[in-house]
Amino acid sequence: GDSVAAGLGAERRKETLGGRLAKGMARRLRRPVRLRTAAVVGAESPDLADQLAGLPDGYAPHVAVIVVGGNDVTHRLPIAVSTQHLRDTILHLRGLGAEVVVGTCPDLGALRPVPQPLRRLISSVSRRLAEAQAETARSVRATPIDLRRAVGPMFFDDPDAMFSLDRFHPSPLGYRRTAEALLPAVCVAAEAALSSRRQPAPR
């Protein structure tokens, strides 16, 4: 994914979105969790293919979490282009045997440094992209989590605590709340993947 998936704004690795999810999964599932983050700061949905290509040969994750879309909005990428790349990525990951959870595009209207009326515009576009991402995810058997509804109000109500110093990326608390929103679905996905890989191969 993008800079949120990469954890930009967190002070320590364990405070990143991936770090929070890995720790939470290990606690809930009571087993070791190995985290690999392929996200790149500034990435857009078309960059997901390169992130997949950068994974080691034979790499087969049990569960993959995708968070992308903010840069698609700010760079005015057509929603149809964004969702096609998201669909291709999910299908690739499912082909590796992974369950996939998609954190949909957050509401960029929470970005106070962006002046009005531009902030209202990007809020509307980010909402439409999030809805399209959710529909795309469901169509290829991935699980979407609506981050706009799950954590968006927290970013609007308490921006000083939820945003890092740059006012564009989550703070450690922002990542914690985002991870909490994703964690239940990620654990369910991980358990489903573990169960399917334990099933004996058909004869």
Side-chain angles (χ1 to χ4, degrees), residues 9-195:
E11 296 175 3
R12 293 176 289 182
R13 190 168 185 263
K14 67 179 183 179
E15 295 173 341
T16 64
L17 182 59
R20 293 280 189 188
L21 287 173
K23 183 177 179 180
M25 288 175 66
R27 184 184 299 117
R28 289 197 182 194
L29 301 180
R30 297 185 178 183
R31 60 183 299 147
V33 174
R34 182 174 297 166
L35 170 67
R36 179 180 292 274
T37 302
V40 176
V41 174
E44 302 171 21
S45 294
D47 298 315
L48 293 173
D50 287 339
Q51 293 177 19
L52 290 175
L55 295 173
D57 292 339
Y59 182 66
H62 288 92
V63 59
V65 179
I66 302 173
V67 178
V68 73
N71 296 314
D72 297 27
V73 173
T74 58
H75 296 161
R76 301 194 297 179
L77 197 68
I79 288 177
V81 173
S82 298
T83 53
Q84 183 60 55
H85 286 282
L86 177 63
R87 177 186 173 86
D88 292 345
T89 302
I90 294 171
L91 289 173
H92 181 102
L93 288 164
R94 290 199 61 82
L96 297 177
E99 296 291 328
V100 182
V101 176
V102 177
T104 60
C105 184
D107 189 346
L108 299 189
L111 298 176
R112 297 287 180 86
V114 178
Q116 297 288 16
L118 180 58
R119 199 188 322 157
R120 282 194 295 271
L121 175 61
I122 64 173
S123 178
S124 174
V125 175
S126 60
R127 183 176 63 252
R128 286 190 281 121
L129 175 57
E131 291 169 352
Q133 288 177 323
E135 182 178 348
T136 298
R138 284 190 290 266
S139 74
V140 285
R141 296 186 298 133
T143 302
I145 300 299
D146 188 341
L147 295 181
R148 180 178 63 88
R149 291 185 178 179
V151 295
M154 302 178 197
F155 282 88
F156 275 96
D157 294 343
D158 195 2
D160 290 340
M162 296 293 287
F163 282 104
S164 62
L165 292 177
D166 68 6
R167 291 295 186 264
F168 279 91
H169 297 93
S171 65
L173 177 61
Y175 281 118
R176 178 181 172 185
R177 298 305 185 205
T178 303
E180 289 171 350
L182 291 166
L183 186 59
V186 174
C187 287
V188 169
E191 289 175 330
L194 288 165
S195 177

